Structure formats: structure tokens, C-alpha cells
């Protein structure tokens, strides 16, 4: 490490800690700092000043419903994390029950997967609409499918082996309710351990870890903590084209 | 098994983080009660609107819930880590609201007047920052130092953008940032002495 290089980067340490360095220079400075103890010391020295600036924002009280929403989602997530420890037999039994429920054994809407061979498909079953709006075509990006029911719209964007599920125009939920996502594979529906809540604008999103073999993604409203079996009709469904 | 609220309240932030990483909702609730106000205040200061500040705060805490295990105590306190997440998300929201990264054609008033409202974020930010609303750590700084720091930290502008906005050389902006941070840091050190 020579002094000239340190002097050059030392000028930018303040901008770095304030988040004001040009995007392309951030990684360069970090690489330099790895081998420059003087710069590391300067960074450590200035960090508390930045923390003080963050604290200098005029104090405002967050609305109580923000805390309620956060804790509802967190408690739902905690319950979902606990579900992972359930013995395999429990999930297999649940899959069977959901299949029965979807075939008409419960209060849900009857529907079937869309034909996989179509590049663009519109499925209209019992008021639900789903269509594929794009795929990677070998270009490296993820495929996207959408669905809608009433005002609620849903988008499933594949990413690696999983997908992001994004909803819009979802009505606000009472504190004791959450959204729960489900997937159908080979005609059987199973929970994906994805519990979430909409934000103030009615947007909600979650992640589906494994999209292998998924034919349909759907979302229901469930009691906080989620369920092993849907208790109501889906608020939206998204047919997935392989 | 989640810890009881009373026990969680006795734990330091750094001790709560492993519990949050293990998806303990009570640990999360205690952390929110300690820092939610500061997080919301910072978000509001940056985005300037209650609904957006709420969304930013919610996203930041959910991000912490999902990635709590990634907290590295060698890089600072939980609170400063949390506030850095809020700051980054608020700046993202600010830019998303503008539809793009801030534009910088400041010297042409006619162009500014003709721009759609979302593209005028940088001008509005400059006006807000120069309105003299300086508090706390920034209150003791010379105005030109406070201005560049506020534009950088609360406005999300890069040092080059700030130089163009203010019509001063880049080196001047670097110097003002440095002097301002050093002064704040020096006062913090004196307060601890």
C-alpha cells in the first residue's frame, strides 16, 4: 500500500460513509480499505458521526397499526417456521386433504390447470383469470405469470428454482388474519409455508422456495399463524405454464 | 420456544439478534419497541410523507426479521445497522417515486418548470435542505457543510451530483463533507470524554 493511493481514497471516505460515493467507486474503495489500515481506521472513526446524523431526524411517532401489522406478519412467520419441523407424514396427509378440498370437498372454487403447451394462455374458470405474460426464451431472465380475481392481481416471477409472488389491490386484513400461499403439483395442493400481509397500499409479496412441478399458485386469507388446510376460497390464483 | 416478553426486555440488542434469527417474535417486538420510533422518524425525514415512511419502516423491519442472522456486531450497533437499512430503503423509495435516479439539470429553470412533477425531486430536495431545518448533530455545523451532508444522507445524492447542484467543484464538496463529519465526530468524542 503506497501513500499516494491512500491519499486518493482518503478523500472519499466521508462520501462513502454518507452513502454518497458514485456506485462504481464503492467496491473500489472497499477493496482498497481491505489492505489499508489507515482507511479502515478512518471509516471506523467516522461511522458514529453518520449514526448521529441518522438520529438527528426530527422525532415522529409511528402509527400503532404499523406495529400491529409487523407483529402479525412476524408471528405468522414464526408459526410457519415451526411447521417445517413437522413430521413428513403430517405434510403428506395435509397434501391429500388439500387435494380433496380443491376437487370440491370444501368451500373452494373448482378449477383445473391450464394447458402447458400454450405460449400465451387465458384461463377463465369460475371467475378467475390467469395468463402468462412472458418467459425467458433462453435469454436468462425469469418467466412471469399473472392472475387476477376481482380487484386482486397476482404476479409470479420465477427466480432460480423458486419464485417471487407479488399481489396488488389486496384489501386490508384484520390483525388476526394473514395471507397464505399454496401451490398445486400433480393435482395435489400443498402449503408453501409462506405467510404474509399486505402493506398500506394493498401490495403484498412473498417467496416460493421451490417451483418445481408447480401447476397453480393460489392465495387464501387465513387465521394468524396460518393453517395446514385452506379455510376459505382463494382470493387469487395463477396458472403456471411449464 | 419463544422467550417471554419480560426476559426479552432484559436482553441487549446484540443478544436479541440471535433470537430473531431463530424467528422469535417476542425478541422482534422488543427490538421494534426500542428502535421503531427512530426508524420511522428517519424514514419520514427522507421520504417526507407518512404513508411512504410507514412502508419503508415495515419493509426494513421485515428485512431484519428475515435476515437477522446476518447481523455482524463487529460493524456497529444493532440500532445503527437498522437505521442504515431504513436509510437505504428510504432512498430507494425516494428514487422509485421519482421514476428514476435524480436528474441534475439545475441551472435551467425553464427545463425544470416543464418537467413532470416526479422528475423534480432533486430541485425539491435542494430547496428542502436549504430551508435551514438543521437539528441535532447538524445544528452546530456551518451551513455549507450541513447542506452537503443533508443532501448526501437524507437526499441520496452522490458527491458529484451535489457538486453540480450547488455549482461548486467536486473537491469542495468532498472537503465540506469531510470537515462536517470530523466536527460531528469530534463533538461526540468530547461528549464521551
Amino acid at each position: 500500500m503506497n501513500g499516494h493511493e491512500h491519499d486518493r481514497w482518503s478523500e472519499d471516505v466521508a462520501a462513502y460513509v454518507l452513502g454518497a460515493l458514485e456506485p462504481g467507486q464503492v467496491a473500489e474503495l472497499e477493496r482498497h480499505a481491505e489492505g489499508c489500515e489507515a482507511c479502515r481506521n478512518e471509516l471506523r472513526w467516522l461511522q458514529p458521526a453518520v449514526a448521529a446524523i441518522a438520529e438527528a431526524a426530527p422525532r415522529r411517532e409511528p402509527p400503532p397499526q404499523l406495529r400491529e401489522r409487523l407483529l402479525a406478519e412476524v408471528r405468522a412467520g414464526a408459526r410457519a417456521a415451526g411447521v417445517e419441523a413437522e413430521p413428513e407424514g403430517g405434510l403428506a396427509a395435509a397434501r391429500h386433504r388439500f387435494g380433496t378440498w380443491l376437487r370440491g370437498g370444501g368451500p373452494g372454487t373448482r378449477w383445473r390447470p391450464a394447458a402447458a403447451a400454450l405460449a400465451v394462455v387465458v384461463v377463465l374458470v369460475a371467475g378467475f383469470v390467469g395468463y402468462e405474460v412472458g418467459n425467458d426464451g433462453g435469454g436468462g431472465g425469469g418467466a412471469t405469470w399473472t392472475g387476477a380475481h376481482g380487484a386482486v392481481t397476482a404476479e409470479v416471477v420465477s427466480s432460480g428454482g423458486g419464485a417471487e409472488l407479488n399481489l396488488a389491490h389486496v384489501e386490508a386484513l384484520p390483525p388476526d388474519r394473514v395471507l397464505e400461499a399454496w401451490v398445486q403439483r400433480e393435482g395435489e395442493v400443498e402449503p408453501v409455508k409462506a405467510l404474509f400481509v399486505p402493506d398500506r397500499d394493498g401490495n403484498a409479496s412473498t417467496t416460493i422456495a421451490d417451483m418445481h412441478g408447480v401447476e397453480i399458485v393460489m392465495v387464501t386469507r387465513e387465521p394468524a399463524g396460518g393453517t395446514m388446510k385452506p379455510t376459505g376460497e382463494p382470493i387469487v390464483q395463477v396458472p403456471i405454464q411449464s | 420456544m419463544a422467550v417471554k416478553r419480560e426476559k426479552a426486555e432484559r436482553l441487549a440488542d446484540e443478544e436479541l439478534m440471535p433470537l430473531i434469527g431463530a424467528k422469535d417474535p417476542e425478541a422482534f417486538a422488543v427490538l421494534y419497541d426500542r428502535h421503531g420510533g427512530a426508524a420511522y422518524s428517519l424514514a419520514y425525514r427522507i421520504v417526507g410523507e407518512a404513508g411512504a415512511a410507514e412502508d419503508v419502516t415495515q419493509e426494513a423491519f421485515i428485512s431484519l426479521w428475515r435476515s437477522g442472522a446476518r447481523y455482524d456486531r463487529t460493524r456497529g450497533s444493532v440500532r445503527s445497522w437498522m437505521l442504515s437499512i431504513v436509510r437505504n430503503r428510504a432512498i430507494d423509495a425516494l428514487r422509485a417515486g421519482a421514476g428514476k435516479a435524480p436528474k441534475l439539470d439545475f441551472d435551467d429553470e425553464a427545463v425544470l418548470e416543464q418537467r413532470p412533477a416526479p422528475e423534480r425531486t432533486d430541485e425539491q430536495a435542494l430547496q428542502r435542505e436549504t430551508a435551514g431545518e438543521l437539528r441535532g448533530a447538524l445544528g452546530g455545523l456551518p451551513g455549507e457543510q450541513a447542506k452537503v451532508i443533508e443532501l448526501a444522507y437524507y437526499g441520496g445524492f452522490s458527491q458529484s451530483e451535489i457538486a453540480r447542484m450547488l455549482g461548486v467543484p467536486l473537491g469542495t464538496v468532498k472537503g465540506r463533507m469531510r470537515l462536517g463529519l470530523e466536527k460531528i465526530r469530534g463533538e461526540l468524542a468530547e461528549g464521551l470524554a
Side-chain angles (χ1 to χ4, degrees), chain A residues 113-121 132 135 145 240-242:
Chain A
L118 298 177
V120 178
V121 172
E132 181 182 14
N135 60 48
W145 300 271
I240 304 299
Q241 310 302 309
S242 58

Side-chain angles (χ1 to χ4, degrees), chain B residues 39-58:
Chain B
Y40 178 78
S41 300
L42 176 59
Y44 191 98
R45 174 64 182 83
I46 293 172
V47 299
E49 193 263 313
E54 216 176 305
D55 288 346
V56 165
T57 308
Q58 177 170 337

Side-chain angles (χ1 to χ4, degrees), chain A residues 127-179:
Chain A
F128 288 92
V129 182
Y131 53 96
E132 181 182 14
V133 296
N135 60 48
D136 60 7
T144 301
W145 300 271
T146 65
H149 180 56
V152 179
T153 59
E155 176 187 67
V156 175
V157 183
S158 71
S159 175
E164 288 292 322
L165 169 60
N166 302 309
L167 306 186
H169 311 299
V170 180
E171 287 183 7
L173 299 173
D176 61 343
R177 307 285 285 184
V178 296
L179 300 176

Side-chain angles (χ1 to χ4, degrees), chain B residues 66-148:
Chain B
R66 290 176 177 160
S67 64
R70 287 189 220 139
Y71 167 68
D72 177 1
R73 65 170 66 197
T74 65
R75 301 190 69 175
S77 69
V78 172
R79 186 180 178 95
S80 61
W81 180 60
M82 180 71 232
L83 292 178
S84 70
I85 295 172
V86 169
R87 188 264 178 186
N88 291 340
R89 287 188 173 267
I91 295 299
D92 287 346
L94 204 58
R95 289 178 171 162
K100 60 192 73 176
K103 296 177 77 73
L104 301 166
D105 307 316
F106 258 70
D107 41 353
D108 189 337
E109 290 293 332
V111 171
L112 277 174
E113 287 304 313
Q114 290 166 8
R115 278 190 203 154
E119 295 187 31
R120 300 179 61 185
T121 305
D122 50 350
E123 180 195 32
Q124 291 159 353
L126 184 61
Q127 289 171 347
R128 193 166 69 233
E129 310 311 341
T130 55
E133 191 186 55
L134 304 178
R135 289 181 178 80
L138 297 170
L141 298 184
E144 67 272 14
Q145 292 173 16
K147 189 188 300 177
V148 296

